[in-house]
Amino acid sequence: MGARFERSLPAGAAGLPALLAEIEAWLDAAGVPPIEAARMMIAFDEVLSNIAKHGGGMLSVSLAIADRRLAATIVDDGPPFDPLAREAPDTDLDIDDRAIGGLGIHLVRQLMDDVAYARDEDRNRLIFSKTF
Protein backbone atom coordinates (compact mmCIF):
# COMPACT_ATOMS: atom_id res chain seq x y z
CA MET A 1 0.00 0.00 0.00
CA GLY A 2 1.30 3.46 -0.84
CA ALA A 3 0.73 7.02 0.26
CA ARG A 4 -0.79 9.70 -2.00
CA PHE A 5 -0.93 13.50 -2.06
CA GLU A 6 -3.00 15.58 -4.51
CA ARG A 7 -3.68 19.32 -4.74
CA SER A 8 -4.98 21.68 -7.42
CA LEU A 9 -4.79 25.47 -7.35
CA PRO A 10 -4.36 28.50 -9.60
CA ALA A 11 -0.87 28.45 -11.12
CA GLY A 12 0.14 31.90 -9.81
CA ALA A 13 2.76 32.49 -7.14
CA ALA A 14 0.25 33.38 -4.39
CA GLY A 15 -0.43 29.80 -3.31
CA LEU A 16 3.08 28.49 -3.93
CA PRO A 17 4.58 28.86 -0.41
CA ALA A 18 1.62 27.08 1.20
CA LEU A 19 1.71 24.30 -1.39
CA LEU A 20 5.44 23.75 -0.88
CA ALA A 21 4.92 23.65 2.89
CA GLU A 22 2.13 21.07 2.45
CA ILE A 23 4.31 18.90 0.23
CA GLU A 24 7.21 19.07 2.68
CA ALA A 25 4.95 18.11 5.61
CA TRP A 26 3.45 15.25 3.59
CA LEU A 27 6.91 13.89 2.69
CA ASP A 28 7.88 13.96 6.36
CA ALA A 29 4.65 12.26 7.48
CA ALA A 30 5.06 9.64 4.73
CA GLY A 31 8.48 8.71 6.15
CA VAL A 32 10.59 9.88 3.23
CA PRO A 33 14.22 10.09 4.43
CA PRO A 34 15.23 13.75 5.01
CA ILE A 35 17.91 13.80 2.30
CA GLU A 36 15.49 12.47 -0.32
CA ALA A 37 12.76 14.84 0.85
CA ALA A 38 15.22 17.73 0.49
CA ARG A 39 16.05 16.66 -3.06
CA MET A 40 12.38 16.39 -3.92
CA MET A 41 11.68 19.82 -2.41
CA ILE A 42 14.42 21.41 -4.54
CA ALA A 43 12.82 19.85 -7.62
CA PHE A 44 9.34 21.01 -6.61
CA ASP A 45 10.52 24.52 -5.81
CA GLU A 46 12.24 24.83 -9.17
CA VAL A 47 9.42 23.43 -11.29
CA LEU A 48 6.55 25.13 -9.46
CA SER A 49 8.34 28.50 -9.40
CA ASN A 50 8.82 28.33 -13.16
CA ILE A 51 5.16 27.45 -13.72
CA ALA A 52 4.10 30.32 -11.44
CA LYS A 53 6.33 32.71 -13.37
CA HIS A 54 5.69 31.53 -16.94
CA GLY A 55 2.56 29.38 -16.86
CA GLY A 56 -1.00 30.20 -16.08
CA GLY A 57 -4.36 28.67 -15.48
CA MET A 58 -4.62 25.76 -13.11
CA LEU A 59 -1.88 23.65 -11.58
CA SER A 60 -2.25 20.12 -10.22
CA VAL A 61 0.32 18.28 -8.14
CA SER A 62 0.21 14.62 -7.22
CA LEU A 63 2.69 12.46 -5.37
CA ALA A 64 2.62 8.75 -4.75
CA ILE A 65 4.91 6.44 -2.84
CA ALA A 66 5.04 2.74 -3.56
CA ASP A 67 7.89 0.30 -2.94
CA ARG A 68 10.25 3.09 -1.77
CA ARG A 69 9.70 4.99 -5.02
CA LEU A 70 8.40 8.54 -4.85
CA ALA A 71 6.72 9.69 -8.07
CA ALA A 72 5.53 13.24 -8.67
CA THR A 73 3.33 14.59 -11.44
CA ILE A 74 2.84 18.28 -12.06
CA VAL A 75 0.22 19.32 -14.59
CA ASP A 76 -0.58 22.85 -15.74
CA ASP A 77 -2.70 24.28 -18.51
CA GLY A 78 -0.28 27.05 -19.42
CA PRO A 79 1.32 27.48 -22.84
CA PRO A 80 3.10 24.40 -24.23
CA PHE A 81 6.60 24.15 -22.78
CA ASP A 82 8.89 21.13 -22.73
CA PRO A 83 11.67 21.95 -20.26
CA LEU A 84 13.51 18.78 -21.25
CA ALA A 85 13.92 19.98 -24.84
CA ARG A 86 16.69 22.36 -23.77
CA GLU A 87 20.26 21.19 -23.86
CA ALA A 88 21.94 20.85 -20.49
CA PRO A 89 23.85 24.02 -19.64
CA ASP A 90 27.63 23.96 -19.80
CA THR A 91 28.38 24.28 -16.11
CA ASP A 92 32.12 24.42 -16.84
CA LEU A 93 31.71 27.89 -18.36
CA ASP A 94 32.16 30.99 -16.25
CA ILE A 95 28.78 32.21 -15.01
CA ASP A 96 29.06 35.35 -17.15
CA ASP A 97 29.53 33.21 -20.27
CA ARG A 98 26.54 30.92 -19.73
CA ALA A 99 23.20 31.32 -21.46
CA ILE A 100 20.39 32.44 -19.17
CA GLY A 101 17.97 29.71 -18.11
CA GLY A 102 18.05 25.95 -18.09
CA LEU A 103 20.02 25.48 -14.89
CA GLY A 104 16.94 24.65 -12.80
CA ILE A 105 15.70 21.77 -14.95
CA HIS A 106 19.29 20.55 -15.19
CA LEU A 107 19.34 20.43 -11.39
CA VAL A 108 16.02 18.54 -11.34
CA ARG A 109 17.46 15.99 -13.79
CA GLN A 110 20.52 15.54 -11.58
CA LEU A 111 18.50 15.08 -8.39
CA MET A 112 15.83 12.71 -9.73
CA ASP A 113 16.14 9.19 -11.15
CA ASP A 114 13.70 9.85 -13.99
CA VAL A 115 12.19 12.99 -15.50
CA ALA A 116 9.68 13.00 -18.38
CA TYR A 117 7.48 15.57 -20.12
CA ALA A 118 4.33 15.19 -22.22
CA ARG A 119 1.80 17.59 -23.70
CA ASP A 120 -1.54 15.92 -23.13
CA GLU A 121 -5.02 17.39 -23.76
CA ASP A 122 -3.64 20.95 -23.94
CA ARG A 123 -1.80 20.54 -20.65
CA ASN A 124 1.87 20.30 -19.71
CA ARG A 125 2.67 17.17 -17.71
CA LEU A 126 6.04 16.81 -15.97
CA ILE A 127 6.71 13.55 -14.14
CA PHE A 128 9.75 12.91 -11.97
CA SER A 129 10.64 10.16 -9.56
CA LYS A 130 13.21 9.09 -7.02
CA THR A 131 13.82 5.76 -5.31
CA PHE A 132 14.89 5.98 -1.67
Side-chain angles (χ1 to χ4, degrees):
M1 180 169 164
R4 293 196 58 80
F5 172 95
E6 293 184 3
R7 294 289 182 277
S8 293
L9 65 153
L16 192 57
L19 176 60
L20 288 169
E22 278 189 79
I23 292 169
E24 189 168 27
W26 182 85
L27 292 171
D28 183 53
V32 175
I35 189 70
E36 299 307 335
R39 288 181 177 127
M40 188 61 74
M41 289 308 301
I42 291 169
F44 268 110
D45 188 36
E46 180 58 38
V47 172
L48 294 174
S49 296
N50 280 333
I51 292 171
K53 184 175 180 181
H54 303 290
M58 289 299 292
L59 166 71
S60 297
V61 175
S62 63
L63 290 99
I65 297 175
D67 299 325
R68 299 185 52 80
R69 181 175 177 85
L70 176 60
T73 302
I74 301 174
V75 178
D76 74 90
D77 55 7
F81 179 70
D82 179 357
L84 304 179
R86 293 187 75 149
E87 287 189 31
D90 184 349
T91 56
D92 291 332
L93 288 176
D94 185 82
I95 193 145
D96 293 328
D97 296 329
R98 290 185 207 162
I100 295 174
L103 194 56
I105 196 65
H106 173 69
L107 182 60
V108 172
R109 285 175 148 165
Q110 297 301 307
L111 293 172
M112 297 296 110
D113 295 334
D114 298 298
V115 183
Y117 168 85
R119 181 75 179 173
D120 184 31
E121 297 180 6
D122 293 328
R123 301 184 85 190
N124 298 300
R125 181 177 308 273
L126 188 69
I127 301 164
F128 49 95
S129 63
K130 182 78 176 160
T131 300
F132 58 93

